[in-house]
Amino acid sequence: MESKTFWECNKAYILTALGLGVVGFVFVGFLMIMDWGYLIQFTLHAMMGDTSGVMSAPTSELEQMVNAAFGPAYNTVAPEIIRASNERQEYIWYVFFAEIMIFVFLYVKNGRITPTITRPDDMVQVLTPFQRTVIWLNIGMIMMLVVTGFNITWSLRSEGGDIPRLLREFHELTGLAWISIWLIFTVIAAKDLKGWRKNTTFRHILPGSFKPSKRGIWFFYAAMGAGLCFSGAMIITLHPSSLTHADVIQFRRVLLYLHFGASVLIMFFILDFVYASAVSVKGYLKGLWSGEYPREYLEQVAPDVLEDLKKAGRV
Amino acid sequence: MSRMKFYCDDYRCIDCNGCVVACKEAHEIPVGVNRRRVITINEGIEGKQKSLSVACMHCSDAPCQKVCPTDCFYIRTDGIVLHDKDKCIGCGYCLYACPFGAPQFGHEGIFGVKGVMDKCTFCAGGPDETLSESEFEHYGQNRIAEGKIPMCASMCSTKALVAGDAAEVDKIYEYRTAKRGANTSLKPYGWEAYNNGK
Ligand code: HEM
Ligand code: SF4
Ligand code: SF4
């Protein structure tokens, strides 16, 4: 009985973790040529404050010179970047295609809920100005980050030039600004972790009861965001000069890896959110802007939100 | 086919940084960007200190060219690796790929974010019209078009740094090692390690 409840309550997390585990295993085991042993050792050294990447004392003058000039173990991380950079422009489509196909499958299987609204004037104030500000800032910045970020990945199509360069520069600036939004989500996710299945602080951003499966999206969103904010901000601040090159470059190679990986993964959760809020049910975009939703819409699509508002005495 | 290469003789380099200054001066390179730098190991340890001047090595199979997402690198028939600053988006991926840390980035973009990449051109300018003002502004002098060797090598006081056709550079190298004779190893240092597959 106990275990059944546990499975039911945490199905979403377990399935997501399993799915990511399988994808990760195939990716790491079969598609990558990076030296993972070195990477793990390097990460441990970096956490102790040594980012030089030198794992063992050099045994020859040549090795010593190579370490001093170029940073060591160039081949362990770089082949991935070299190979991936142009090939991923060709192949990353397949990852997005697969991600989209999952939602197409769900759509075909589950169809779409379209609420019938007979009393369009019976409106309920759902979102406060603060909530709308956070939501729109998040939507705007994420769209900007996705477009400007993948603008870098697919530069072979744009062939570079001033506009793609400006977009890339805006990626860095928007990324730094987005850290504040990510922090809000992370604080909420951290608070929710304490209450786990009982209470959700997410309703401060989006009202509703947020069943564990629904909260899963936001936990992963916060986690992937952490990877993106950490690696992005570090890439911006840790810029090697010609003198500090050897100490910094290996670490930055790993950071770029983390950033690209997290950006592809966060796309899944962004698509999931778009699917849940606008495809699987007919969305009500106007409400996101005005904060008001027809009562019937809430009754049919989001009764938990209505319940939540009643409890708070706002309806 | 010729292949233009640099060679820095570690027996001769005295860490004077003259090549670094000459390069910056010749191409009017901004502060924070060094197309060339001198690396020293075992500094102060007698008999063990060694220095080497490093810039873009104009790799025959250049990793930077492979990684650049805008494909803005091109390799001239004489082997010099150049790039087009009008295409470059300043993503920095060439810096991740280059084993020598050659690509450089100033912070002249909006709000001081990093701008387009700059690197050693072997004093061969860039894709703009040869010896034009815009070529100088973007890439610096085009000494190769004027029939001269790169500035760094031409002013190196000990002639540790040599530049030119790989076959000619090789002759200088062979001559020097032969002349050093029994006093020093005939092999370049690191040769054993190289042969041991290290
Ligand atoms: C949803 C959030 C984000 C997404 C989807 C995203 C996506 C991307 C993508 C796709 C790339 C190109 C990777 C490649 O092709 O190798 C990239 C690069 C980069 N991103 Fe992000 N990113 C996000 C957030 C951030 C944040 C928060 C920051 C900074 C704090 C940031 C800073 C950077 C930097 C510095 C680069 C490397 C290119 C450069 O130096 O300009 N990104 N990002
Ligand atoms: S920039 Fe680096 S990788 Fe490219 S040719 Fe020069 S040394 Fe080789
Ligand atoms: S910084 Fe410029 S030259 Fe270097 S990889 Fe990016 S687009 Fe290519």
Side-chain angles (χ1 to χ4, degrees):
Chain A
M1 189 67 197
E2 269 271 294
S3 68
K4 193 172 169 237
T5 320
F6 179 81
W7 163 249
E8 269 176 10
C9 292
N10 298 294
K11 206 165 91 179
Y13 300 116
I14 297 169
L15 288 180
T16 312
L18 273 178
L20 288 179
V22 171
V23 173
F25 177 74
V26 172
F27 205 63
V28 169
F30 301 103
L31 300 178
M32 292 189 131
I33 49 173
M34 186 195 278
D35 181 342
W36 287 93
Y38 173 84
L39 186 72
I40 291 166
Q41 265 192 354
F42 173 78
T43 311
L44 292 175
H45 275 234
M47 283 186 333
M48 313 286 263
D50 170 18
T51 55
S52 69
V54 185
M55 297 300 136
S56 47
T59 52
S60 68
E61 262 184 1
L62 175 72
E63 209 179 320
Q64 196 184 354
M65 196 61 116
V66 167
N67 287 353
F70 325 128
Y74 158 74
N75 285 326
T76 51
V77 187
E80 287 298 343
I81 295 176
I82 291 165
R83 193 181 65 152
S85 209
N86 275 350
E87 289 184 0
R88 74 178 168 213
Q89 301 204 30
E90 301 297 331
Y91 297 123
I92 202 74
W93 292 109
Y94 296 110
V95 176
F96 291 127
F97 181 72
E99 286 182 358
I100 290 168
M101 283 322 280
I102 293 174
F103 297 109
V104 170
F105 171 76
L106 286 176
Y107 180 76
V108 171
K109 189 167 157 272
N110 299 335
R112 185 181 209 205
I113 299 168
T114 312
T116 33
I117 293 160
T118 51
R119 292 171 280 122
D121 294 334
D122 185 6
M123 301 295 271
V124 174
Q125 183 73 31
V126 177
L127 300 171
T128 63
F130 168 74
Q131 289 171 331
R132 274 176 280 155
T133 311
V134 174
I135 291 168
W136 280 107
L137 275 178
N138 199 28
I139 291 177
M141 284 187 185
I142 285 287
M143 275 177 17
M144 181 85 178
L145 285 169
V146 169
V147 171
T148 53
F150 287 102
N151 146 73
I152 303 170
T153 314
W154 278 303
S155 309
L156 214 49
R157 284 168 197 270
S158 66
E159 295 187 350
D162 285 344
I163 293 172
R165 181 176 50 76
L166 278 172
L167 287 178
R168 186 198 60 73
E169 289 178 0
F170 270 110
H171 185 81
E172 290 189 12
L173 296 171
T174 318
L176 289 174
W178 185 66
I179 292 179
S180 56
I181 302 284
W182 165 79
L183 256 179
I184 294 177
F185 278 106
T186 305
V187 168
I188 291 172
K191 280 190 158 184
D192 268 25
L193 263 184
K194 275 196 222 146
W196 196 231
R197 270 179 266 147
K198 286 185 220 100
N199 284 315
T200 170
T201 320
F202 274 119
R203 79 164 73 88
H204 292 303
I205 300 293
L206 290 168
S209 66
F210 286 93
K211 285 179 295 188
S213 62
K214 243 182 163 184
R215 270 190 266 174
I217 300 178
W218 298 104
F219 284 130
F220 281 101
Y221 188 74
M224 297 304 136
L228 286 165
C229 290
F230 171 71
S231 55
M234 290 293 263
I235 289 173
I236 293 170
T237 38
L238 273 184
H239 194 69
S241 73
S242 59
L243 290 176
T244 57
H245 178 80
D247 301 329
V248 169
I249 194 65
Q250 194 78 326
F251 190 46
R252 265 182 53 133
R253 284 177 183 143
V254 174
L255 287 172
L256 183 67
Y257 241 59
L258 177 63
H259 197 83
F260 187 63
S263 68
V264 173
L265 284 178
I266 206 172
M267 283 305 287
F268 179 80
F269 298 101
I270 292 173
L271 286 174
D272 191 0
F273 181 67
V274 172
Y275 172 78
S277 53
V279 181
S280 66
V281 293
K282 191 171 188 298
Y284 191 77
L285 255 183
K286 262 191 283 177
L288 269 188
W289 188 250
S290 65
E292 290 184 336
Y293 286 76
R295 188 182 297 272
E296 286 167 299
Y297 179 89
L298 295 175
E299 279 165 0
Q300 293 164 49
V301 170
D304 57 324
V305 173
L306 204 58
E307 197 59 33
D308 199 37
L309 292 173
K310 271 184 198 153
K311 257 192 247 160
R314 280 174 46 196
V315 178
Chain B
M1 194 178 72
S2 66
R3 280 226 160 257
M4 301 300 241
K5 293 287 176 201
F6 284 118
Y7 166 64
C8 184
D9 188 341
D10 56 293
Y11 287 95
R12 290 186 175 222
C13 179
I14 53 167
D15 190 17
C16 72
N17 275 278
C19 48
V20 177
V21 177
C23 172
K24 283 194 85 122
E25 174 68 20
H27 304 298
E28 295 179 10
I29 298 184
V31 175
V33 171
N34 277 2
R35 289 184 178 181
R36 181 167 279 290
R37 67 203 156 112
V38 180
I39 305 291
T40 301
I41 58 165
N42 299 326
E43 203 165 349
I45 304 175
E46 211 172 314
K48 285 199 152 185
Q49 176 169 323
K50 282 205 160 115
S51 295
L52 205 60
S53 170
V54 196
C56 170
M57 303 302 269
H58 299 275
C59 309
S60 306
D61 185 11
C64 56
Q65 188 198 25
K66 286 189 189 159
V67 77
C68 175
T70 65
D71 216 3
C72 74
F73 285 90
Y74 61 100
I75 302 184
R76 296 173 21 143
T77 48
D78 58 7
I80 297 174
V81 180
L82 298 178
H83 77 296
D84 184 344
K85 283 193 179 178
D86 289 330
K87 282 178 105 185
C88 172
I89 59 166
C91 63
Y93 290 3
C94 44
L95 178 64
Y96 293 98
C98 172
F100 304 103
Q104 299 283 304
F105 295 87
H107 281 76
E108 75 270 21
I110 36 168
F111 294 107
V113 299
K114 66 181 188 300
V116 297
M117 188 272 273
D118 185 82
K119 77 166 187 70
C120 157
T121 62
F122 210 88
C123 288
D128 296 0
E129 194 191 325
T130 305
L131 297 177
S132 63
E133 221 168 88
S134 120
E135 187 189 44
F136 180 77
E137 230 170 72
H138 279 100
Y139 308 97
Q141 291 188 19
N142 190 339
R143 293 170 56 87
I144 297 291
E146 292 170 341
K148 300 171 184 163
I149 64 162
M151 191 56 136
C152 49
S154 80
M155 65 65 55
C156 175
S157 56
T158 62
K159 290 289 163 268
L161 188 61
V162 286
D165 188 288
E168 294 301 314
V169 171
D170 186 46
K171 274 187 204 153
I172 296 172
Y173 171 75
E174 273 178 24
Y175 174 76
R176 285 187 188 175
T177 40
K179 211 157 172 237
R180 275 179 207 136
N183 293 335
T184 52
S185 160
L186 283 174
K187 301 163 195 154
Y189 75 82
W191 187 247
E192 286 85 1
Y194 176 77
N195 278 341
N196 290 338
K198 283 189 186 165

